[in-house]
Amino acid sequence: MMEFFGHLGLGFAVALTMQNIILCFVGCLVGTLIGVLPGIGPIATISILLPLTFGLEPTSALIMLAGIYYGAQYGGSTASILLNIPGESSAVVTALDGHAMARKGRAGVALGISAIGSFFAGCFSTLLMAAMAIPLASIALIFGPAEYFSMMVMGLAFAILLARGSILKAILMVLVGLLLAGIGPDLTTGQLRMTFSQRWLSDGIEISLLGMGLFGMAEVFRSLEHGESRDTVRTAAIGRLLPNRAEMKQSAKPIMRGTLLGSILGLLPGNGAVLAPFASYTLEKRLAKDPSRFGHGAIEGVAGPESANNAGAQTSFIPLLTLGIPPNAVMAVMVGAMTIHGIVPGPQIISKTPDIFWGIIASMWIGNLMLLVINLPLVGLWVKLLKVPYRLMFVGIMIFCCLGVYFIRREPIDILMLGGLGIVGYGLAKLNFEPAPLTLGFVLGRMMEENLRQALIISRGDILTFVERPISLVFLLLAIVMLGIGFLPKVSKRREEVFVE
Amino acid sequence: MKTDLVKSSQNLISGLILIAFAAIAVWSLSNLSQGTVTSIGPAMVPRTVALLIGLGGVVLVVLSLLHESEPLERWHVRGPVFVSLGLIAFALTIKVPGFLVAAPLSMMIAGWGSQDARLRELIIFSVVLTGFCILLFKVLLGQQLPILVIHSLSIRI
């Protein structure tokens, strides 16, 4: 126990310098600024703002990134409450009751409770992370390449199960992602693969470029179909921000339940965090005395899912920091960010650079606090920003994406690739393919290939190594069970229902 | 859109695209070695994945002949075309003559991707946003961004 507080103390000592607090503040501010733009989720926001951290030393850079990350998350909720345009899938749920509350003139309370719930979730999951990091990292040390490979297979199977629509199409998307990850130099021989002798492809495709194209630009193309038909909260009245005593009492339990649910789901590899707000919403609706209020501005329907979302977003750092495996595309962008600063996420980060590790954990909490401090007073500003009509807004989104892409490598050809990926993403949507499994396949592709090759070298070419090693076998069996569940007709119907809801 | 043979145009097109995609990948890997199971060569993993994608594509094509599913959605061309043109303009002008030209130019082109575009408003918005970006990214955050580069006048900001 003393050790636990000692670690947290070390983290705060690293994180709490004046410079870092200012960086965290700026990160939160610009993160929300970009994240609040409709259609720009956390992936695109982090990608656009990542270059801001390039000149900083590692700890400060990560603290600023944490600020950007939480700002982006909260910006997304703000957009879905006020505009009913969720920036990413996890904000869909918030839009249901949050926007209904906004239309009844309670936008302020919805935003307020979402900030408070997120803060509570952030505090809890920070403590959870601190407590779980060392045990998990020591488990990771007994994992060999075979276990890593099988665990990633399980993560992909889970992502397939979570995707909406046809299972076959989700599997295909994962495979396409794996294939795209293969572009670039081979891991051992360095021979170029699938680059078509193009110099700009020789390093492979950048994950943030893929994210901005498939999510950011594709979303712009899709939104342009509808023209100016947005359901903005036109009334200037945001109302009071702080929930009153009765509202707090109503929300307290949903916040706690959401936090717990989100923390657990976030731990799962394969983007379990995405499930958290849906699960919390369904749970609250089940538990409510009068479920019919849901969808018409029930505060529990905002408090629970928002807490679950934030808790999941935070605990999804755990697989990344302890096992080195990014559970979703956002975390993959974070890996990219860390690698740039010379930090390789994985079990060795705790023992080798404890100050950085505990600094990150502490900075997450600071990021959460910052959000509460700056966002509530600034709500008016975000509202004004969201009143910009979409016919102008999308132009702004485009230019931010251009800048984000340009800052990565300063190669103009990447801007053309952004457009190309945007069109691909638009096409995928038209053909009912979901881009999320693709990005996860892309994220894990290189690591999977590397571990597969190493495992086979160790076993001298014996493929059975994956089923002979017990932990690896368990992962593979779980993967098969998940895929099997997905193919059950009854379950696939239920999946539809959950997502329609 | 419905013919007797093809029951789901969406699945048919998806399948054909995936088959083509897989074929291109396999072709581009043709001069790389497969290796053995003990020491996997550079081509083995991507080739296997590509073959699986091709197989999935075939399954989709077969399904499209057997089962009905949602029809192909209409593509809207206007948005993607103008935004892509805007991106091309940005890519061509960002290095020389720089952001001061690239940003307003690309925004004024892309803006027409919306059917509600209005010229005056678009010009004002582009100019203001260009200024804002320069202020935020260049001045406040110190990013490397060529603002105005004209070689003949030796201007380099």
Side-chain angles (χ1 to χ4, degrees):
Chain A
M1 203 62 196
M2 276 319 286
E3 205 188 10
F4 173 77
F5 286 110
H7 286 141
L8 277 183
L10 169 67
F12 279 104
V14 173
L16 279 177
T17 64
M18 203 54 212
Q19 190 208 3
N20 286 349
I21 292 175
I22 293 173
L23 284 173
C24 190
F25 176 80
V26 174
C28 253
L29 200 63
V30 287
T32 317
L33 178 72
I34 306 285
V36 86
L37 300 176
I40 296 204
I43 304 175
T45 309
I46 297 172
S47 310
I48 290 170
L49 295 173
L50 176 59
L52 305 183
T53 67
F54 282 175
L56 303 169
E57 51 153 331
T59 330
S60 307
L62 285 173
I63 286 169
M64 187 170 185
L65 263 178
I68 293 173
Y69 178 55
Y70 293 115
Q73 288 271 353
Y74 192 72
S77 325
T78 309
S80 40
I81 287 173
L82 295 174
L83 280 188
N84 201 16
I85 309 182
E88 35 132 20
S89 58
S90 58
V92 171
V93 185
T94 313
L96 295 174
D97 276 276
H99 189 63
M101 280 179 80
R103 258 186 292 173
K104 289 184 177 164
R106 292 169 74 204
V109 175
L111 289 166
I113 200 72
S114 126
I116 294 169
S118 300
F119 179 69
F120 177 81
C123 294
F124 178 80
S125 42
T126 303
L127 291 178
L128 186 72
M129 270 182 91
M132 287 191 61
I134 291 186
L136 257 180
S138 54
I139 293 177
L141 290 175
I142 59 169
F143 280 14
E147 282 79 13
Y148 269 106
F149 177 79
S150 305
M151 184 162 67
M152 287 188 263
V153 171
M154 182 182 75
L156 291 178
F158 192 46
I160 290 167
L161 185 63
L162 288 184
R164 64 189 94 175
S166 138
I167 287 270
L168 174 64
K169 284 185 169 177
I171 295 176
L172 282 166
M173 278 295 94
V174 165
L175 290 172
V176 171
L178 291 174
L179 188 62
L180 291 178
I183 296 177
D186 177 58
L187 298 161
T188 42
T189 64
Q191 282 169 292
L192 292 181
R193 305 190 293 193
M194 300 181 281
T195 60
F196 304 95
S197 311
Q198 298 294 313
R199 195 181 54 82
W200 52 272
L201 263 180
S202 59
D203 288 331
I205 302 173
E206 194 75 38
I207 171 72
S208 31
L209 180 55
L210 192 84
M212 276 188 265
L214 288 185
F215 293 96
M217 291 315 287
E219 184 59 37
V220 167
F221 293 161
R222 264 189 297 173
S223 305
L224 281 176
E225 289 183 354
H226 309 304
E228 205 68 40
S229 60
R230 272 191 314 163
D231 188 14
T232 326
V233 180
R234 288 289 172 203
T235 47
I238 293 301
R240 69 200 152 81
L241 286 168
L242 288 179
N244 60 28
R245 193 173 278 258
E247 284 161 336
M248 274 313 281
K249 210 176 151 214
Q250 242 179 331
S251 316
K253 279 185 183 160
I255 288 178
M256 280 184 240
R257 283 192 288 257
T259 302
L260 214 59
L261 208 57
S263 303
I264 297 167
L265 287 169
L267 286 173
L268 301 177
N271 208 5
V274 123
L275 203 64
F278 290 97
S280 164
Y281 191 81
T282 320
L283 180 72
E284 291 311 324
K285 205 172 166 180
R286 284 266 162 82
L287 290 177
K289 281 191 193 119
D290 177 16
S292 64
R293 286 192 305 121
F294 279 74
H296 304 284
I299 196 166
E300 301 97 310
V302 180
E306 275 295 285
S307 317
N309 188 21
N310 203 42
Q314 189 145 347
T315 48
S316 58
F317 269 100
I318 297 183
L320 175 68
L321 291 174
T322 53
L323 306 174
I325 295 178
N328 54 46
V330 180
M331 288 300 127
V333 177
M334 292 299 258
V335 175
M338 292 182 186
T339 331
I340 286 169
H341 293 286
I343 303 162
V344 183
Q348 69 288 352
I349 188 178
I350 302 183
S351 46
K352 276 195 194 143
T353 46
D355 50 329
I356 288 185
F357 181 81
W358 296 105
I360 296 175
I361 299 219
S363 66
M364 287 177 180
W365 186 80
I366 299 173
N368 275 302
L369 179 68
M370 208 57 97
L371 219 54
L372 197 63
V373 175
I374 64 169
N375 271 303
L376 291 182
L378 286 178
V379 156
L381 181 69
W382 310 136
V383 174
K384 279 215 189 74
L385 196 66
L386 286 172
K387 282 197 174 149
V388 175
Y390 196 76
R391 60 175 188 274
L392 294 176
M393 182 91 82
F394 84 93
V395 182
I397 294 174
M398 182 201 75
I399 209 75
F400 283 127
C401 284
C402 280
L403 279 171
V405 169
Y406 181 75
F407 287 148
I408 303 173
R409 297 199 305 178
R410 295 172 215 292
E411 289 282 354
I413 196 146
D414 287 352
I415 310 272
L416 301 183
M417 200 130 98
L418 173 74
L421 284 168
I423 291 171
V424 170
Y426 182 60
L428 289 178
K430 286 281 162 203
L431 295 172
N432 255 332
F433 283 94
E434 250 207 298
L438 188 156
T439 37
L440 192 65
F442 182 81
V443 162
L444 297 180
R446 293 236 135 196
M447 250 188 273
M448 279 181 85
E449 185 178 358
E450 196 182 339
N451 283 299
L452 173 73
R453 283 174 159 191
Q454 281 173 359
L456 286 175
I457 290 172
I458 295 171
S459 74
R460 291 161 209 241
D462 185 5
I463 300 181
L464 289 177
T465 180
F466 294 105
V467 289
E468 277 163 1
R469 299 178 69 113
I471 301 177
S472 164
L473 177 66
V474 170
F475 285 140
L476 288 180
L477 287 177
L478 282 173
I480 293 170
V481 169
M482 283 181 202
L483 286 183
I485 291 174
F487 272 114
L488 289 177
K490 209 171 157 190
V491 175
S492 33
K493 223 185 216 159
R494 253 197 72 82
R495 281 166 67 233
E496 298 291 327
E497 280 167 21
V498 171
F499 283 114
V500 168
E501 218 177 334
Chain B
M1 209 38 219
K2 216 186 289 175
T3 61
D4 289 324
L5 184 62
V6 178
K7 294 207 173 115
S8 161
S9 49
Q10 192 190 72
N11 278 348
L12 179 72
I13 292 184
S14 311
L16 292 177
I17 292 175
L18 287 169
I19 293 171
F21 179 70
I24 294 172
V26 170
W27 167 74
S28 77
L29 290 165
S30 52
N31 54 357
L32 293 174
S33 87
Q34 181 86 354
T36 61
V37 189
T38 329
S39 116
I40 291 182
M44 187 185 283
V45 173
R47 190 177 285 149
T48 316
V49 173
L51 290 175
L52 286 174
I53 293 172
L55 188 71
V58 173
V59 172
L60 276 179
V61 170
V62 173
L63 282 179
S64 77
L65 305 178
L66 297 177
H67 295 292
E68 269 183 49
S69 94
E70 291 133 275
L72 201 58
E73 272 184 63
R74 243 178 72 85
W75 282 61
H76 292 249
V77 199
R78 179 171 177 149
V81 165
F82 279 98
V83 174
S84 301
L85 286 176
L87 291 174
I88 293 171
F90 188 90
L92 290 177
T93 50
I94 178 67
K95 290 258 173 187
V96 181
F99 188 73
L100 202 58
V101 176
L105 180 70
S106 59
M107 283 193 269
M108 279 178 219
I109 295 173
W112 296 100
S114 161
Q115 55 241 40
D116 314 304
R118 293 169 207 170
L119 181 63
R120 233 175 76 98
E121 169 188 87
L122 188 59
I123 293 175
I124 298 171
F125 184 77
S126 308
V127 171
V128 170
L129 196 59
T130 306
F132 173 78
C133 285
I134 293 176
L135 191 72
L136 179 67
F137 291 103
K138 179 88 178 178
V139 179
L140 289 177
L141 299 166
Q143 290 297 305
Q144 265 185 46
L145 181 68
I147 299 296
L148 190 63
V149 180
I150 303 173
H151 290 308
S152 55
L153 296 173
S154 331
I155 296 178
R156 198 167 246 285
I157 306 172

